[in-house]
Amino acid sequence: MAARWSSENVVVEFRDAQATAMSVDCLGSHAVLSGRRFLYMVNLEAPSEPPRKIGRQSKWDVGTVQWNPHKSESHVFAASSNQRVDLYSWREGCGEVHTSLQGHTRVISDLDWSWFEPEFLVTSSVDTYIYIWDTRDTRKPTVALSAVAGASQVKWNRKNQYLLASSHDGDVRIWDKRKPNTAAEYVAAHLSKIHGLDWHPDNEFIFATSSQDNSVRFWDFRQPRKYLNILSCQVPVWKARYTPFSNGLVTVMVPQLRRENSLLLWSTLDLNSPVHAFVGHDDVVLEFRWRPQKEGSKDYQLVTWSRDQTLRIWRVDPQLQKLCVSDVVEDLMERMSLTVESEKSLSSQEPESQHSVGPASDNLQDQDGSLISGGRQDSAVCSGLPQTLQQEFSLVNLQIRNVNVEMDAVNRSCVVSAHFGSHQVHLVVKFPAQYPNNAAPTFQFVSPTTIPSAMKTKIQKILTDTSLQKVKRNQNCLEPCVRQLVSCLESDMTQEDGPASGPFVLSNPVTPALQAFPRVTNTYGSYQDANIPFPRTSGARFCGTGCLVYFTRPITMHRSAPPTEPTPRSLSALSAYHSGVLTPMKMRSESQNTLRLYSGSPTRSDKDTVSISSFYYKERKSRRFKTKREGTDYGNRPIKLAGKVIIQEISCLLPVHKALGESYILNVNDIQETCQKNAAAALAVGRRDVAKVWALASAATNQDLSPDSDPDTETPWARHPFGRHLLETLLDHYSQMSDVQTLAMLCSVFRAQAPPPDSYSLYGHHPSRSSMFPPHHSRYPSYTSSSVTSGSCSSTSDSITTTTWNAGRDSEHANPWGESSPDDYRYGNQGYSDPREREREQHDMNKRLLDPANTLQFDDFKKCYGEILYRWGLREKKADVLKFASCPPEPHKGIEFGVYCCHCRSQARGTQCAVCKRLTFQCAICHVAVRGSSNFCLSCGHGGHTSHMMDWFRRQDECPAGCGCHCLLQSTF
Amino acid sequence: MVSVINTVDTSHEDMIHDAQMDYYGTRLATCSSDRTVKIFDVRNGGQILVADLRGHEGPVWQVAWAHPMFGNILASCSYDRKVIIWKEENGAWDKMYEYTGHESSVNSVCWGPYDFGLILACGSSDGAISLLTFTGDQQWDVKKISNAHTIGCNAVSWAPAVVPGSLIDQPSGQKPNYVKRFVSGGCDNLVKLWKEEDGQWKEDQKLEAHSDWVRDVGWAPSIGLPTSTIASCSQDGRVFIWTCDDPAGNTWTAKLLHKFNDVVWHVSWSITGNILAVSGGDNKVTLWKESMDGQWACISDVSKGQGAVSTITDTQQNEQ
């Protein structure tokens, strides 16, 4: 779990080293640890190998050790020991002192190799002198700077070969080595002693100082009176150094307690809170150095040495580097560009890294060359990646749909062509020679660009802004610009074309999942998430019939925002919390412990990057933990992020009861008994009200009240106030209670008590409705009944298999083979004109206790209750109830006969084939296409005109087609 | 009485975003930021992990069980813009279909009533709502309502198939021709009702009351009454109950259930449609019931993920 929060890669312990200083060579292959008796050479490629040792005899500890930063002299390192500097050379696994520099009269406090001249070394001492040595002539220093006060730090400027800075108690002096007599500038930097001094890697005027007065200050020595910026800490700061990537700063605190975490990474753009804490060392970090990057590597590595006698190597991956870049001011732009793959951020940082480690040169091509030749003035330290346009082009990630970029590095230009819907955009981008060092490319639309000129202007402006913002920091801008262009076009097109013009908006999502994946993970919590709702972390759902399933955040998870502040609405809010913008932290009071979680940079696996959703809550959690169990390493504790899912039985809150569902009966033959038993059942579950209702139902269904079939004898009970009206009131009441169980049961019982005249197994018909059916019906006779009854439906025979009914025919024409639908009879029966019949019908309606007008609603009650019974697993009970529905739940679909055209064999509907436009079937007797009434054998599929068939089968029983089928027997009519 | 019958430790590695039981209440599906969907057999108070479905590449926001008549089918939607439909065949869960037609996070999935066949509505942050209909043979028909909600769609919920009014004038003997309808809520603060007409989805109604993003909508199950009811909840902390007595479904009236202090994320109706479970950013679950006189009252309180639903004695009157 610890690995999740820190980016530590390698830990090697050197128990006996007792080293006081450490340095990493310019190739990144070795680190030297200087102990009193030995110097240990650690192979950084294989750090766990036993280190090589170089013995030394001295009673003094090594004060400072430093490798020569130039490749040509990469085997040389200097180590100060009291008043002397020993120059070691390390070749083929052996090291020895090849020369010593002696001149200081008191202990040497610091030394620094020149960034420009491989032979030059500066040393500072408490003897008040600063000596610049030419190692080719070791007898005496070439330059001696007299400072009057003893110096604690001395550093060469990284951009100007003549400048150097030294710290003297709380002051900083800037020296020009050509004018050794007096310092060029004095800066009264701190009130307490300065422990650390570091020049800005890219700016020759800017440096940072760290001091005993609990602060890091940033200075421009041209304005010595006022610092540029301050980083306030609550403990003395031992060292503060710029990172090789842009805008980063690493500090080491002087811890007040052991085990306190003191190694922090900051963004110089936002000094409110560190962006990362390197957690692992148990004691004071004595020295930290950046390991020069391997060619092609995206990661930087920080090598640290601590008093806990461990050497650790930390990976600082592009994600973490990016955190240093993130700028509150440029929120939108930045986020847009950050959404892209990590390669992008890397490429944009490469020029910086180049500059920071090795001295910069304006001409990039030149720098390229110097790398190979080595040994010349610049970039010897850097194993890194020279930044040329060519390289940007090769690294740029432009897997965007509908966009094509043709890059021409030789002519320093590229053509971006994009197709969106009906629009095309062709854009020529030209890169000036200085690009990307504060020189923006130009953008020009060329034909055949089809977008309106207003939009061109708009896009041009956006692109110019984007590129300027990037090059101002010497960063590449091609990819951000192209992405801007795309998003711009997309949004505009969407507005313009509306929802109909889908295809072009579907950019990435339709690409294969694998490709979309990295993008997704990286965009989490970013700008694009602004319209994605904030994830639910608690919820409740009614499930099944009587369960409530709910989950909540674990109790240990707390919101970092005060409870009065509402939960953010969108996912993008997470990124704000994540990057610390909204939770400014004060050092020591909070951050020491929260940082670990908070700075859990997305370093390790992809998995961690996406789990940010919970960061918002975890933060507080850790603090809570702290109060409870001080000092435990909760980095190792598995943190419970998922709460439990609780299933609760809430059926008692519902108006329906499973027990009742089981015990209720519906006995059509004895309604009285049904009611009484159901009343008892209701009483058993404590539903007194329902028990009373059943008592009422029992009374209402009493035989004495059963209506007379003669309409003239008496008013049916249903018309009595206690009849239908009472029932309706009851139904109303239970409707309000949503007691669908009682509703459905009542409806079923009363329906059973007075079955509709046309037998409830058939469809019930409302009189007003049935009147419209007869004409309607005759045009669409039902196939279903005939096919079901016939049973011989294996209609696979070759020619024509069908039962076709012709439009416009009356049902009288139904022939001996096909059976007319029962509907015919029913409607025939209902289509009466006898007034007595109508009266009887009316009486029928009146005598029913359930208002027939609401039949459909009653059916719905039954259907819904049936559904609930089904969920309870009471399938038979469900069938019991649905039996009383006037609409059977699933009308039987039966079998439908299809017609295959006898000419082209395609499936046809009706008499004409849709494919070949010919009549689909022929009469087996006259061989003429059949248009009118026809009949076919369901077994062999042969048939023809009804009249011909009837004639034929009057005399024969075999098929007229000669297939041998005994059609009359097969089709059992 | 109200009692906890099961407490399932899901062992998800990250926060849970949804949990839902199947039709019979025998299985529980959960989904989480750890990108997985898990299925547990929870019969008889047990909790046996049946399946751990991996396939999403981002946090999974919601799951939905299909009606069992189609088999054991589960749909899940995720931040990774995908909707995955999982099916159990011979005891093994596998992907049945993966829908990638959305351009942003898919926030909600909901299966339509079984009467319509296997049909799934998906609401996405790209503003669109997709309707996936199974047409047999592993084929899915996709209909997309583009720009259903500007900025994004956060929730979808189907109307029950028994929609009063739609049954009137059904030709007898044929399967009732229900109108497919569903409700959606989005970042435009609107609740929208959609209706299928001639195979095309049309916006039927637009309900305005919320002052911030609508986070969830729930169409109450029908018990056969002529009233349609919808609950909606929002970032603004309000929960509204929308009712419509009009058979044509045109006049909806809103009633404020309660104004909470924090965002309300989820509303869920009981099977009889008379109790509403409300949950939100305050980490609490409350149950609300409509009294006989039409007032909504809180009948319970689940808080802090520890307590059980306990019916509170003094039914606190809602603000109306």
Side-chain angles (χ1 to χ4, degrees), chain A residues 656 727-728 730-736 738-748 850 854-869 878 881-882 884-886, chain B residues 162 164 167 222-227:
Chain A
V656 293
L727 185 56
E728 276 172 2
L730 283 174
L731 291 179
D732 256 9
H733 175 78
Y734 286 105
S735 293
Q736 281 197 334
S738 299
D739 186 352
V740 68
Q741 190 168 35
T742 310
L743 289 172
M745 288 307 288
L746 283 179
C747 292
S748 300
L850 287 169
N854 291 332
T855 310
L856 288 167
Q857 198 190 331
F858 300 149
D859 287 345
D860 284 345
F861 290 149
K862 290 169 209 161
K863 190 187 161 191
C864 293
Y865 182 49
E867 196 70 17
I868 292 174
L869 285 171
K878 178 196 172 189
V881 172
L882 289 187
F884 296 99
S886 51
Chain B
V162 193
L167 279 176
S222 164
I223 56 160
L225 294 171
T227 311

Side-chain angles (χ1 to χ4, degrees), chain A residues 7-232:
Chain A
S7 49
E8 187 177 86
N9 254 6
V10 177
V11 187
V12 197
E13 189 167 347
F14 299 102
R15 185 50 67 198
D16 328 310
Q18 299 299 318
T20 50
M22 186 269 293
S23 182
V24 177
D25 74 350
C26 72
L27 302 172
S29 56
H30 287 92
V32 59
L33 293 169
S34 51
R36 191 172 291 179
R37 293 176 53 219
F38 296 102
L39 296 177
Y40 297 86
M41 295 304 254
V42 182
N43 181 358
L44 292 177
E45 302 297 338
S48 49
E49 277 179 12
R52 308 252 182 173
K53 295 182 200 172
I54 305 172
R56 64 186 284 267
Q57 276 104 40
S58 171
K59 57 178 178 177
W60 310 106
D61 276 331
V62 172
T64 315
V65 63
Q66 194 180 57
W67 286 92
N68 191 308
H70 298 270
K71 277 203 172 143
S72 58
E73 297 288 317
S74 64
H75 58 285
V76 174
F77 65 90
S80 68
S81 169
N82 199 13
Q83 309 165 7
R84 196 181 73 210
V85 174
D86 293 324
L87 295 180
Y88 287 82
S89 63
W90 174 258
R91 289 180 198 270
E92 283 119 32
C94 298
E96 52 171 10
V97 181
H98 67 83
T99 184
S100 291
L101 308 174
Q102 298 199 18
H104 283 293
T105 54
R106 292 187 64 189
V107 65
I108 294 170
S109 54
D110 197 16
L111 60 85
D112 197 30
W113 289 97
S114 167
W115 295 99
F116 296 90
E117 294 149 302
E119 296 82 17
F120 279 74
L121 181 75
V122 64
T123 57
S124 64
S125 162
V126 282
D127 66 6
T128 76
Y129 283 97
I130 293 163
Y131 291 144
I132 297 170
W133 305 81
D134 183 335
T135 54
R136 291 163 297 194
D137 174 15
T138 58
R139 286 166 301 170
K140 63 176 182 66
T142 52
V143 182
L145 311 172
S146 171
V148 182
S152 58
Q153 292 269 288
V154 65
K155 298 287 180 236
W156 287 101
N157 191 300
R158 302 208 201 180
K159 305 291 276 186
N160 185 323
Q161 57 173 309
Y162 304 113
L163 288 183
L164 49 108
S166 61
S167 65
H168 309 263
D169 212 11
D171 298 339
V172 173
R173 296 180 197 192
I174 311 296
W175 305 84
D176 186 326
K177 73 168 186 179
R178 296 165 295 188
K179 300 171 195 162
N181 295 334
T182 55
E185 195 62 74
Y186 286 83
V187 181
H190 291 269
L191 296 171
S192 307
K193 188 179 179 188
I194 293 170
H195 293 304
L197 177 67
D198 195 40
W199 283 99
H200 192 279
D202 301 318
N203 190 310
E204 76 169 278
F205 307 109
I206 293 177
F207 60 91
T209 53
S210 53
S211 156
Q212 182 70 25
D213 70 2
N214 304 352
S215 70
V216 176
R217 297 186 190 192
F218 301 88
W219 301 91
D220 182 328
F221 69 75
R222 294 168 298 182
Q223 302 157 12
R225 289 168 194 284
K226 178 77 183 126
Y227 52 82
L228 297 173
N229 210 341
I230 184 166
L231 165 59
S232 297

Side-chain angles (χ1 to χ4, degrees), chain A residues 643-659:
Chain A
K644 295 199 165 143
V645 176
I646 296 164
I647 303 170
Q648 221 167 37
E649 172 72 38
I650 47 94
S651 25
C652 66
L653 299 175
L654 297 177
V656 293
H657 307 270
K658 189 177 179 185

